[in-house]
Amino acid sequence: MRALDVAPFAFAVALIMPVAHAAETSREIKGLYLMTDYPAVTVRPGTTSNIPLRLQDYGLSPERYRLSVSGVPSGWTATLLGGGQPVAAAMPAPDANVSLQLRLDVPANADLSEQTLTVKAEGQANQAALPINVALAKELPAKLTVTSKLPSLRGSPKSSFEYTLNIKNDSGRNLVASFAAEAPTNFETSFTEAYGSQELSSIPIEAGRSKDIKLKVRPPSTIDAGHFPVAVTVNAEDASANVELALDVVGQPQLQVSGRDGLLSARAVAAQQSSIPIVVTNTGTAPADNIKLSASAPTGWKVTFEPAGIDRLVPGKDAEVQALVTPSDKSLAGDYMTSVSATSRGENASSQFRITVSTSTVWGIAGAGVIGVALLLMLGAVARFGRR
């Protein structure tokens, strides 16, 4: 029973020991330190540079430390900043740090030899020093790079092709980058913000930073299928960068509806079925499959098609179907408009047909008979009563 009690205790000790060891290791570092991520930097004459610093306290009591910079060359200005303003002393809390900045103003005619500046923090019981090597270099030429996440896109002539471009300023100074696109004839191009619709022709980019923009390309709707290149050029001062883009336009059907020989008129008789030839033409660059036919006719009319649809229509070809139109028996003689539509996978075309309706000759004969009977009755009545 005791063996079972001891085992969990031993396991708990094993878990606690590494944590305690790590805590003891961190306590071994004690003192005051001045630190920076970049103790050796390069600046350009005639500019101002800021070097981030940290005054770190490891296990010390709070103390006020006087700050200073030594080794500053003649004509240079070195200023220690804290919280965005000049400071002369700092007081970090135990096991904490205070953020500082060393601002260097270097004259344009400064000697290009390397300099060493020493930042100091001095208190009554502790002090720290940090040497910083400063090399001077002449201004580097502007440098730009431009890349596209998706340099090649695919779509139909009705598509709007959108490319996301990343422009990077690899220079040591801020630049204003302008851009232009070279596309095939009748292609529309425009640059917009990465997350907006405002059109742009240039954009400011900070030194060492990059920005995203969008290029929209719209091909003409009548273009044939094919591969089309688009070249983008970005310029800023004496620097330029290029990227090659492409769009693949796939074929798309385009339908037209008309009558035989282009006629958009026909004749029909009330209450009787009439056959009207309808011609469907594919003027696009891809086959049209499963073409469905439909009609919008006056109330009470019946319109069907024979055949009911077209299975496949290749580019440049046409097919004829018969529209079986039956006007209402209440239709009066005159002209009526009927719309005939053809649809294939989102592609739609329609035309208005003028249909001239005449009344049936049967009703004309019946009417004439009624009139004849009425005349005979009237003549008989006159003859009979006239003798009296």
Side-chain angles (χ1 to χ4, degrees), residues 24-62:
E24 291 177 0
T25 302
S26 63
R27 293 194 185 98
E28 292 177 359
I29 303 176
K30 188 174 182 179
L32 182 70
Y33 296 87
L34 266 170
M35 297 182 291
T36 180
D37 294 338
Y38 309 103
V41 298
T42 300
V43 300
R44 193 172 68 251
T47 64
T48 298
S49 297
N50 290 315
I51 303 172
L53 308 172
R54 297 187 305 279
L55 180 61
Q56 178 71 53
D57 178 315
Y58 284 115
L60 300 177
S61 300

PDB file of all heavy atoms in Angstrom, residues 24-62:
ATOM      1  N   GLU A  24      15.582  29.230 -11.470  1.00  0.00           N
ATOM      2  CA  GLU A  24      16.901  29.548 -10.934  1.00  0.00           C
ATOM      3  C   GLU A  24      17.826  30.063 -12.012  1.00  0.00           C
ATOM      4  O   GLU A  24      18.635  30.965 -11.802  1.00  0.00           O
ATOM      5  CB  GLU A  24      17.484  28.304 -10.273  1.00  0.00           C
ATOM      6  CG  GLU A  24      16.741  27.899  -8.986  1.00  0.00           C
ATOM      7  CD  GLU A  24      17.310  26.623  -8.404  1.00  0.00           C
ATOM      8  OE1 GLU A  24      18.257  26.086  -9.013  1.00  0.00           O
ATOM      9  OE2 GLU A  24      16.826  26.185  -7.349  1.00  0.00           O
ATOM     10  N   THR A  25      17.699  29.512 -13.260  1.00  0.00           N
ATOM     11  CA  THR A  25      18.562  29.959 -14.354  1.00  0.00           C
ATOM     12  C   THR A  25      18.302  31.408 -14.699  1.00  0.00           C
ATOM     13  O   THR A  25      19.227  32.192 -14.938  1.00  0.00           O
ATOM     14  CB  THR A  25      18.336  29.070 -15.590  1.00  0.00           C
ATOM     15  OG1 THR A  25      18.606  27.716 -15.243  1.00  0.00           O
ATOM     16  CG2 THR A  25      19.239  29.489 -16.739  1.00  0.00           C
ATOM     17  N   SER A  26      16.991  31.821 -14.721  1.00  0.00           N
ATOM     18  CA  SER A  26      16.668  33.209 -15.050  1.00  0.00           C
ATOM     19  C   SER A  26      17.177  34.158 -13.973  1.00  0.00           C
ATOM     20  O   SER A  26      17.535  35.292 -14.263  1.00  0.00           O
ATOM     21  CB  SER A  26      15.152  33.368 -15.222  1.00  0.00           C
ATOM     22  OG  SER A  26      14.499  33.074 -13.998  1.00  0.00           O
ATOM     23  N   ARG A  27      17.235  33.683 -12.700  1.00  0.00           N
ATOM     24  CA  ARG A  27      17.714  34.557 -11.637  1.00  0.00           C
ATOM     25  C   ARG A  27      19.227  34.719 -11.661  1.00  0.00           C
ATOM     26  O   ARG A  27      19.775  35.595 -11.001  1.00  0.00           O
ATOM     27  CB  ARG A  27      17.286  33.998 -10.272  1.00  0.00           C
ATOM     28  CG  ARG A  27      15.778  34.036 -10.038  1.00  0.00           C
ATOM     29  CD  ARG A  27      15.444  33.809  -8.586  1.00  0.00           C
ATOM     30  NE  ARG A  27      14.010  33.725  -8.358  1.00  0.00           N
ATOM     31  CZ  ARG A  27      13.331  32.591  -8.245  1.00  0.00           C
ATOM     32  NH1 ARG A  27      13.983  31.434  -8.314  1.00  0.00           N
ATOM     33  NH2 ARG A  27      12.032  32.605  -8.031  1.00  0.00           N
ATOM     34  N   GLU A  28      19.901  33.911 -12.431  1.00  0.00           N
ATOM     35  CA  GLU A  28      21.355  34.055 -12.514  1.00  0.00           C
ATOM     36  C   GLU A  28      21.747  35.339 -13.236  1.00  0.00           C
ATOM     37  O   GLU A  28      22.831  35.870 -13.051  1.00  0.00           O
ATOM     38  CB  GLU A  28      21.959  32.842 -13.238  1.00  0.00           C
ATOM     39  CG  GLU A  28      21.846  31.544 -12.448  1.00  0.00           C
ATOM     40  CD  GLU A  28      22.390  30.359 -13.216  1.00  0.00           C
ATOM     41  OE1 GLU A  28      22.824  30.589 -14.376  1.00  0.00           O
ATOM     42  OE2 GLU A  28      22.371  29.242 -12.698  1.00  0.00           O
ATOM     43  N   ILE A  29      20.872  35.866 -14.137  1.00  0.00           N
ATOM     44  CA  ILE A  29      21.135  37.135 -14.817  1.00  0.00           C
ATOM     45  C   ILE A  29      20.668  38.253 -13.906  1.00  0.00           C
ATOM     46  O   ILE A  29      19.494  38.337 -13.548  1.00  0.00           O
ATOM     47  CB  ILE A  29      20.389  37.206 -16.157  1.00  0.00           C
ATOM     48  CG1 ILE A  29      20.784  36.031 -17.047  1.00  0.00           C
ATOM     49  CG2 ILE A  29      20.646  38.528 -16.849  1.00  0.00           C
ATOM     50  CD1 ILE A  29      20.028  35.960 -18.340  1.00  0.00           C
ATOM     51  N   LYS A  30      21.618  39.116 -13.506  1.00  0.00           N
ATOM     52  CA  LYS A  30      21.283  40.216 -12.615  1.00  0.00           C
ATOM     53  C   LYS A  30      22.147  41.406 -12.968  1.00  0.00           C
ATOM     54  O   LYS A  30      23.331  41.271 -13.252  1.00  0.00           O
ATOM     55  CB  LYS A  30      21.512  39.805 -11.151  1.00  0.00           C
ATOM     56  CG  LYS A  30      20.998  40.829 -10.146  1.00  0.00           C
ATOM     57  CD  LYS A  30      21.115  40.297  -8.722  1.00  0.00           C
ATOM     58  CE  LYS A  30      20.557  41.301  -7.736  1.00  0.00           C
ATOM     59  NZ  LYS A  30      20.626  40.813  -6.331  1.00  0.00           N
ATOM     60  N   GLY A  31      21.513  42.561 -13.002  1.00  0.00           N
ATOM     61  CA  GLY A  31      22.277  43.754 -13.308  1.00  0.00           C
ATOM     62  C   GLY A  31      21.509  44.690 -14.221  1.00  0.00           C
ATOM     63  O   GLY A  31      20.319  44.508 -14.502  1.00  0.00           O
ATOM     64  N   LEU A  32      22.225  45.714 -14.706  1.00  0.00           N
ATOM     65  CA  LEU A  32      21.651  46.728 -15.576  1.00  0.00           C
ATOM     66  C   LEU A  32      22.284  46.600 -16.958  1.00  0.00           C
ATOM     67  O   LEU A  32      23.520  46.485 -17.081  1.00  0.00           O
ATOM     68  CB  LEU A  32      21.919  48.129 -15.001  1.00  0.00           C
ATOM     69  CG  LEU A  32      21.324  49.291 -15.783  1.00  0.00           C
ATOM     70  CD1 LEU A  32      19.804  49.306 -15.649  1.00  0.00           C
ATOM     71  CD2 LEU A  32      21.927  50.619 -15.309  1.00  0.00           C
ATOM     72  N   TYR A  33      21.441  46.600 -18.010  1.00  0.00           N
ATOM     73  CA  TYR A  33      21.935  46.406 -19.381  1.00  0.00           C
ATOM     74  C   TYR A  33      21.290  47.425 -20.316  1.00  0.00           C
ATOM     75  O   TYR A  33      20.097  47.710 -20.229  1.00  0.00           O
ATOM     76  CB  TYR A  33      21.609  44.998 -19.888  1.00  0.00           C
ATOM     77  CG  TYR A  33      22.290  43.895 -19.119  1.00  0.00           C
ATOM     78  CD1 TYR A  33      21.688  43.358 -17.967  1.00  0.00           C
ATOM     79  CD2 TYR A  33      23.529  43.403 -19.521  1.00  0.00           C
ATOM     80  CE1 TYR A  33      22.301  42.362 -17.250  1.00  0.00           C
ATOM     81  CE2 TYR A  33      24.143  42.388 -18.793  1.00  0.00           C
ATOM     82  CZ  TYR A  33      23.537  41.873 -17.667  1.00  0.00           C
ATOM     83  OH  TYR A  33      24.150  40.869 -16.964  1.00  0.00           O
ATOM     84  N   LEU A  34      22.115  47.969 -21.211  1.00  0.00           N
ATOM     85  CA  LEU A  34      21.630  48.760 -22.347  1.00  0.00           C
ATOM     86  C   LEU A  34      21.703  47.849 -23.567  1.00  0.00           C
ATOM     87  O   LEU A  34      22.767  47.286 -23.867  1.00  0.00           O
ATOM     88  CB  LEU A  34      22.487  50.006 -22.562  1.00  0.00           C
ATOM     89  CG  LEU A  34      22.012  51.294 -21.890  1.00  0.00           C
ATOM     90  CD1 LEU A  34      23.093  52.365 -21.981  1.00  0.00           C
ATOM     91  CD2 LEU A  34      20.716  51.801 -22.540  1.00  0.00           C
ATOM     92  N   MET A  35      20.569  47.708 -24.310  1.00  0.00           N
ATOM     93  CA  MET A  35      20.520  46.759 -25.419  1.00  0.00           C
ATOM     94  C   MET A  35      19.853  47.382 -26.640  1.00  0.00           C
ATOM     95  O   MET A  35      19.057  48.328 -26.523  1.00  0.00           O
ATOM     96  CB  MET A  35      19.743  45.488 -25.004  1.00  0.00           C
ATOM     97  CG  MET A  35      20.401  44.713 -23.873  1.00  0.00           C
ATOM     98  SD  MET A  35      19.482  43.206 -23.446  1.00  0.00           S
ATOM     99  CE  MET A  35      18.023  43.913 -22.719  1.00  0.00           C
ATOM    100  N   THR A  36      20.196  46.831 -27.789  1.00  0.00           N
ATOM    101  CA  THR A  36      19.564  47.201 -29.055  1.00  0.00           C
ATOM    102  C   THR A  36      19.610  46.006 -29.987  1.00  0.00           C
ATOM    103  O   THR A  36      20.500  45.145 -29.857  1.00  0.00           O
ATOM    104  CB  THR A  36      20.272  48.402 -29.716  1.00  0.00           C
ATOM    105  OG1 THR A  36      19.604  48.707 -30.949  1.00  0.00           O
ATOM    106  CG2 THR A  36      21.730  48.076 -30.019  1.00  0.00           C
ATOM    107  N   ASP A  37      18.659  45.932 -30.884  1.00  0.00           N
ATOM    108  CA  ASP A  37      18.662  44.832 -31.863  1.00  0.00           C
ATOM    109  C   ASP A  37      19.726  45.018 -32.931  1.00  0.00           C
ATOM    110  O   ASP A  37      20.166  44.048 -33.541  1.00  0.00           O
ATOM    111  CB  ASP A  37      17.280  44.720 -32.527  1.00  0.00           C
ATOM    112  CG  ASP A  37      16.206  44.291 -31.539  1.00  0.00           C
ATOM    113  OD1 ASP A  37      16.564  43.690 -30.508  1.00  0.00           O
ATOM    114  OD2 ASP A  37      15.016  44.561 -31.802  1.00  0.00           O
ATOM    115  N   TYR A  38      20.144  46.278 -33.134  1.00  0.00           N
ATOM    116  CA  TYR A  38      21.093  46.562 -34.222  1.00  0.00           C
ATOM    117  C   TYR A  38      22.221  47.455 -33.703  1.00  0.00           C
ATOM    118  O   TYR A  38      22.150  48.683 -33.780  1.00  0.00           O
ATOM    119  CB  TYR A  38      20.386  47.245 -35.395  1.00  0.00           C
ATOM    120  CG  TYR A  38      19.147  46.505 -35.846  1.00  0.00           C
ATOM    121  CD1 TYR A  38      17.874  46.966 -35.506  1.00  0.00           C
ATOM    122  CD2 TYR A  38      19.254  45.329 -36.579  1.00  0.00           C
ATOM    123  CE1 TYR A  38      16.746  46.269 -35.899  1.00  0.00           C
ATOM    124  CE2 TYR A  38      18.128  44.636 -36.982  1.00  0.00           C
ATOM    125  CZ  TYR A  38      16.867  45.110 -36.639  1.00  0.00           C
ATOM    126  OH  TYR A  38      15.757  44.426 -37.026  1.00  0.00           O
ATOM    127  N   PRO A  39      23.283  46.862 -33.143  1.00  0.00           N
ATOM    128  CA  PRO A  39      24.379  47.666 -32.596  1.00  0.00           C
ATOM    129  C   PRO A  39      25.325  48.218 -33.655  1.00  0.00           C
ATOM    130  O   PRO A  39      26.247  48.959 -33.306  1.00  0.00           O
ATOM    131  CB  PRO A  39      25.110  46.673 -31.675  1.00  0.00           C
ATOM    132  CG  PRO A  39      24.820  45.337 -32.278  1.00  0.00           C
ATOM    133  CD  PRO A  39      23.459  45.422 -32.866  1.00  0.00           C
ATOM    134  N   ALA A  40      25.141  47.851 -34.910  1.00  0.00           N
ATOM    135  CA  ALA A  40      25.947  48.408 -36.001  1.00  0.00           C
ATOM    136  C   ALA A  40      25.001  48.765 -37.137  1.00  0.00           C
ATOM    137  O   ALA A  40      24.293  47.898 -37.659  1.00  0.00           O
ATOM    138  CB  ALA A  40      26.997  47.410 -36.474  1.00  0.00           C
ATOM    139  N   VAL A  41      24.950  50.062 -37.523  1.00  0.00           N
ATOM    140  CA  VAL A  41      24.003  50.534 -38.517  1.00  0.00           C
ATOM    141  C   VAL A  41      24.714  51.350 -39.577  1.00  0.00           C
ATOM    142  O   VAL A  41      25.858  51.792 -39.388  1.00  0.00           O
ATOM    143  CB  VAL A  41      22.884  51.386 -37.860  1.00  0.00           C
ATOM    144  CG1 VAL A  41      22.084  50.556 -36.872  1.00  0.00           C
ATOM    145  CG2 VAL A  41      23.480  52.616 -37.180  1.00  0.00           C
ATOM    146  N   THR A  42      24.021  51.550 -40.695  1.00  0.00           N
ATOM    147  CA  THR A  42      24.520  52.387 -41.781  1.00  0.00           C
ATOM    148  C   THR A  42      23.501  53.477 -42.048  1.00  0.00           C
ATOM    149  O   THR A  42      22.303  53.195 -42.206  1.00  0.00           O
ATOM    150  CB  THR A  42      24.730  51.567 -43.070  1.00  0.00           C
ATOM    151  OG1 THR A  42      25.685  50.526 -42.804  1.00  0.00           O
ATOM    152  CG2 THR A  42      25.240  52.444 -44.194  1.00  0.00           C
ATOM    153  N   VAL A  43      23.966  54.719 -42.075  1.00  0.00           N
ATOM    154  CA  VAL A  43      23.082  55.855 -42.333  1.00  0.00           C
ATOM    155  C   VAL A  43      23.622  56.659 -43.504  1.00  0.00           C
ATOM    156  O   VAL A  43      24.788  56.508 -43.901  1.00  0.00           O
ATOM    157  CB  VAL A  43      22.931  56.747 -41.076  1.00  0.00           C
ATOM    158  CG1 VAL A  43      22.357  55.967 -39.918  1.00  0.00           C
ATOM    159  CG2 VAL A  43      24.278  57.356 -40.695  1.00  0.00           C
ATOM    160  N   ARG A  44      22.767  57.530 -44.026  1.00  0.00           N
ATOM    161  CA  ARG A  44      23.139  58.341 -45.180  1.00  0.00           C
ATOM    162  C   ARG A  44      23.374  59.773 -44.744  1.00  0.00           C
ATOM    163  O   ARG A  44      22.558  60.335 -43.996  1.00  0.00           O
ATOM    164  CB  ARG A  44      22.024  58.268 -46.221  1.00  0.00           C
ATOM    165  CG  ARG A  44      22.412  58.811 -47.577  1.00  0.00           C
ATOM    166  CD  ARG A  44      21.338  58.537 -48.620  1.00  0.00           C
ATOM    167  NE  ARG A  44      20.122  59.295 -48.374  1.00  0.00           N
ATOM    168  CZ  ARG A  44      18.988  58.774 -47.950  1.00  0.00           C
ATOM    169  NH1 ARG A  44      18.894  57.485 -47.713  1.00  0.00           N
ATOM    170  NH2 ARG A  44      17.921  59.531 -47.759  1.00  0.00           N
ATOM    171  N   PRO A  45      24.474  60.399 -45.162  1.00  0.00           N
ATOM    172  CA  PRO A  45      24.712  61.793 -44.794  1.00  0.00           C
ATOM    173  C   PRO A  45      23.548  62.682 -45.228  1.00  0.00           C
ATOM    174  O   PRO A  45      22.926  62.468 -46.268  1.00  0.00           O
ATOM    175  CB  PRO A  45      25.997  62.148 -45.552  1.00  0.00           C
ATOM    176  CG  PRO A  45      26.679  60.834 -45.757  1.00  0.00           C
ATOM    177  CD  PRO A  45      25.581  59.842 -45.960  1.00  0.00           C
ATOM    178  N   GLY A  46      23.241  63.680 -44.377  1.00  0.00           N
ATOM    179  CA  GLY A  46      22.152  64.592 -44.689  1.00  0.00           C
ATOM    180  C   GLY A  46      20.791  64.069 -44.276  1.00  0.00           C
ATOM    181  O   GLY A  46      19.777  64.655 -44.656  1.00  0.00           O
ATOM    182  N   THR A  47      20.750  62.993 -43.486  1.00  0.00           N
ATOM    183  CA  THR A  47      19.472  62.411 -43.067  1.00  0.00           C
ATOM    184  C   THR A  47      19.427  62.271 -41.553  1.00  0.00           C
ATOM    185  O   THR A  47      20.422  62.460 -40.857  1.00  0.00           O
ATOM    186  CB  THR A  47      19.243  61.031 -43.704  1.00  0.00           C
ATOM    187  OG1 THR A  47      20.254  60.127 -43.232  1.00  0.00           O
ATOM    188  CG2 THR A  47      19.297  61.113 -45.218  1.00  0.00           C
ATOM    189  N   THR A  48      18.245  61.896 -41.050  1.00  0.00           N
ATOM    190  CA  THR A  48      18.040  61.628 -39.633  1.00  0.00           C
ATOM    191  C   THR A  48      17.671  60.163 -39.461  1.00  0.00           C
ATOM    192  O   THR A  48      16.797  59.652 -40.172  1.00  0.00           O
ATOM    193  CB  THR A  48      16.923  62.519 -39.059  1.00  0.00           C
ATOM    194  OG1 THR A  48      17.318  63.896 -39.182  1.00  0.00           O
ATOM    195  CG2 THR A  48      16.655  62.191 -37.601  1.00  0.00           C
ATOM    196  N   SER A  49      18.335  59.471 -38.533  1.00  0.00           N
ATOM    197  CA  SER A  49      18.063  58.061 -38.280  1.00  0.00           C
ATOM    198  C   SER A  49      17.733  57.847 -36.815  1.00  0.00           C
ATOM    199  O   SER A  49      18.272  58.538 -35.938  1.00  0.00           O
ATOM    200  CB  SER A  49      19.274  57.196 -38.653  1.00  0.00           C
ATOM    201  OG  SER A  49      19.550  57.303 -40.037  1.00  0.00           O
ATOM    202  N   ASN A  50      16.837  56.896 -36.557  1.00  0.00           N
ATOM    203  CA  ASN A  50      16.462  56.551 -35.190  1.00  0.00           C
ATOM    204  C   ASN A  50      16.859  55.110 -34.895  1.00  0.00           C
ATOM    205  O   ASN A  50      16.511  54.200 -35.651  1.00  0.00           O
ATOM    206  CB  ASN A  50      14.947  56.717 -34.988  1.00  0.00           C
ATOM    207  CG  ASN A  50      14.522  58.170 -35.008  1.00  0.00           C
ATOM    208  OD1 ASN A  50      15.158  59.017 -34.392  1.00  0.00           O
ATOM    209  ND2 ASN A  50      13.442  58.472 -35.715  1.00  0.00           N
ATOM    210  N   ILE A  51      17.583  54.909 -33.781  1.00  0.00           N
ATOM    211  CA  ILE A  51      18.034  53.575 -33.375  1.00  0.00           C
ATOM    212  C   ILE A  51      17.308  53.210 -32.083  1.00  0.00           C
ATOM    213  O   ILE A  51      17.464  53.891 -31.069  1.00  0.00           O
ATOM    214  CB  ILE A  51      19.559  53.553 -33.157  1.00  0.00           C
ATOM    215  CG1 ILE A  51      20.283  54.011 -34.435  1.00  0.00           C
ATOM    216  CG2 ILE A  51      20.027  52.167 -32.737  1.00  0.00           C
ATOM    217  CD1 ILE A  51      21.764  54.208 -34.264  1.00  0.00           C
ATOM    218  N   PRO A  52      16.498  52.142 -32.087  1.00  0.00           N
ATOM    219  CA  PRO A  52      15.762  51.769 -30.866  1.00  0.00           C
ATOM    220  C   PRO A  52      16.687  51.149 -29.822  1.00  0.00           C
ATOM    221  O   PRO A  52      17.554  50.336 -30.139  1.00  0.00           O
ATOM    222  CB  PRO A  52      14.729  50.769 -31.378  1.00  0.00           C
ATOM    223  CG  PRO A  52      15.332  50.193 -32.621  1.00  0.00           C
ATOM    224  CD  PRO A  52      16.155  51.290 -33.239  1.00  0.00           C
ATOM    225  N   LEU A  53      16.482  51.536 -28.557  1.00  0.00           N
ATOM    226  CA  LEU A  53      17.280  51.030 -27.430  1.00  0.00           C
ATOM    227  C   LEU A  53      16.339  50.547 -26.329  1.00  0.00           C
ATOM    228  O   LEU A  53      15.159  50.910 -26.278  1.00  0.00           O
ATOM    229  CB  LEU A  53      18.186  52.128 -26.867  1.00  0.00           C
ATOM    230  CG  LEU A  53      19.083  52.899 -27.842  1.00  0.00           C
ATOM    231  CD1 LEU A  53      19.752  54.059 -27.118  1.00  0.00           C
ATOM    232  CD2 LEU A  53      20.127  51.974 -28.447  1.00  0.00           C
ATOM    233  N   ARG A  54      16.916  49.734 -25.393  1.00  0.00           N
ATOM    234  CA  ARG A  54      16.184  49.295 -24.206  1.00  0.00           C
ATOM    235  C   ARG A  54      17.121  49.352 -23.001  1.00  0.00           C
ATOM    236  O   ARG A  54      18.248  48.840 -23.060  1.00  0.00           O
ATOM    237  CB  ARG A  54      15.655  47.870 -24.362  1.00  0.00           C
ATOM    238  CG  ARG A  54      14.661  47.676 -25.472  1.00  0.00           C
ATOM    239  CD  ARG A  54      14.058  46.277 -25.445  1.00  0.00           C
ATOM    240  NE  ARG A  54      15.068  45.205 -25.467  1.00  0.00           N
ATOM    241  CZ  ARG A  54      15.664  44.781 -26.574  1.00  0.00           C
ATOM    242  NH1 ARG A  54      15.404  45.366 -27.744  1.00  0.00           N
ATOM    243  NH2 ARG A  54      16.535  43.796 -26.524  1.00  0.00           N
ATOM    244  N   LEU A  55      16.658  49.953 -21.919  1.00  0.00           N
ATOM    245  CA  LEU A  55      17.391  49.947 -20.652  1.00  0.00           C
ATOM    246  C   LEU A  55      16.726  48.894 -19.775  1.00  0.00           C
ATOM    247  O   LEU A  55      15.608  49.065 -19.300  1.00  0.00           O
ATOM    248  CB  LEU A  55      17.351  51.322 -19.997  1.00  0.00           C
ATOM    249  CG  LEU A  55      18.098  51.441 -18.662  1.00  0.00           C
ATOM    250  CD1 LEU A  55      19.587  51.139 -18.838  1.00  0.00           C
ATOM    251  CD2 LEU A  55      17.898  52.827 -18.046  1.00  0.00           C
ATOM    252  N   GLN A  56      17.433  47.758 -19.576  1.00  0.00           N
ATOM    253  CA  GLN A  56      16.845  46.573 -18.934  1.00  0.00           C
ATOM    254  C   GLN A  56      17.358  46.426 -17.501  1.00  0.00           C
ATOM    255  O   GLN A  56      18.556  46.501 -17.247  1.00  0.00           O
ATOM    256  CB  GLN A  56      17.187  45.326 -19.735  1.00  0.00           C
ATOM    257  CG  GLN A  56      16.674  44.032 -19.151  1.00  0.00           C
ATOM    258  CD  GLN A  56      15.162  43.899 -19.274  1.00  0.00           C
ATOM    259  OE1 GLN A  56      14.620  44.027 -20.362  1.00  0.00           O
ATOM    260  NE2 GLN A  56      14.498  43.632 -18.153  1.00  0.00           N
ATOM    261  N   ASP A  57      16.430  46.190 -16.587  1.00  0.00           N
ATOM    262  CA  ASP A  57      16.746  45.940 -15.176  1.00  0.00           C
ATOM    263  C   ASP A  57      16.477  44.466 -14.898  1.00  0.00           C
ATOM    264  O   ASP A  57      15.360  43.976 -15.096  1.00  0.00           O
ATOM    265  CB  ASP A  57      15.870  46.827 -14.284  1.00  0.00           C
ATOM    266  CG  ASP A  57      16.118  46.590 -12.786  1.00  0.00           C
ATOM    267  OD1 ASP A  57      16.204  45.407 -12.380  1.00  0.00           O
ATOM    268  OD2 ASP A  57      16.198  47.568 -12.052  1.00  0.00           O
ATOM    269  N   TYR A  58      17.509  43.740 -14.408  1.00  0.00           N
ATOM    270  CA  TYR A  58      17.348  42.345 -14.005  1.00  0.00           C
ATOM    271  C   TYR A  58      17.602  42.237 -12.510  1.00  0.00           C
ATOM    272  O   TYR A  58      18.748  42.268 -12.039  1.00  0.00           O
ATOM    273  CB  TYR A  58      18.322  41.439 -14.751  1.00  0.00           C
ATOM    274  CG  TYR A  58      17.950  41.162 -16.177  1.00  0.00           C
ATOM    275  CD1 TYR A  58      18.758  41.625 -17.219  1.00  0.00           C
ATOM    276  CD2 TYR A  58      16.814  40.425 -16.503  1.00  0.00           C
ATOM    277  CE1 TYR A  58      18.425  41.367 -18.541  1.00  0.00           C
ATOM    278  CE2 TYR A  58      16.470  40.173 -17.826  1.00  0.00           C
ATOM    279  CZ  TYR A  58      17.275  40.650 -18.844  1.00  0.00           C
ATOM    280  OH  TYR A  58      16.952  40.397 -20.140  1.00  0.00           O
ATOM    281  N   GLY A  59      16.530  42.163 -11.734  1.00  0.00           N
ATOM    282  CA  GLY A  59      16.652  41.893 -10.292  1.00  0.00           C
ATOM    283  C   GLY A  59      17.267  42.996  -9.473  1.00  0.00           C
ATOM    284  O   GLY A  59      17.807  42.718  -8.389  1.00  0.00           O
ATOM    285  N   LEU A  60      17.216  44.244  -9.911  1.00  0.00           N
ATOM    286  CA  LEU A  60      17.771  45.362  -9.142  1.00  0.00           C
ATOM    287  C   LEU A  60      16.659  46.197  -8.527  1.00  0.00           C
ATOM    288  O   LEU A  60      15.519  46.187  -8.990  1.00  0.00           O
ATOM    289  CB  LEU A  60      18.625  46.246 -10.061  1.00  0.00           C
ATOM    290  CG  LEU A  60      19.822  45.580 -10.746  1.00  0.00           C
ATOM    291  CD1 LEU A  60      20.517  46.586 -11.668  1.00  0.00           C
ATOM    292  CD2 LEU A  60      20.799  45.033  -9.719  1.00  0.00           C
ATOM    293  N   SER A  61      17.029  46.923  -7.499  1.00  0.00           N
ATOM    294  CA  SER A  61      16.081  47.854  -6.888  1.00  0.00           C
ATOM    295  C   SER A  61      15.904  49.057  -7.804  1.00  0.00           C
ATOM    296  O   SER A  61      16.819  49.412  -8.564  1.00  0.00           O
ATOM    297  CB  SER A  61      16.593  48.313  -5.523  1.00  0.00           C
ATOM    298  OG  SER A  61      16.746  47.194  -4.658  1.00  0.00           O
ATOM    299  N   PRO A  62      14.758  49.709  -7.768  1.00  0.00           N
ATOM    300  CA  PRO A  62      14.546  50.889  -8.613  1.00  0.00           C
ATOM    301  C   PRO A  62      15.588  51.965  -8.339  1.00  0.00           C
ATOM    302  O   PRO A  62      15.944  52.238  -7.195  1.00  0.00           O
ATOM    303  CB  PRO A  62      13.135  51.359  -8.221  1.00  0.00           C
ATOM    304  CG  PRO A  62      12.468  50.143  -7.657  1.00  0.00           C
ATOM    305  CD  PRO A  62      13.554  49.361  -6.981  1.00  0.00           C
TER     306      PRO A  62
END
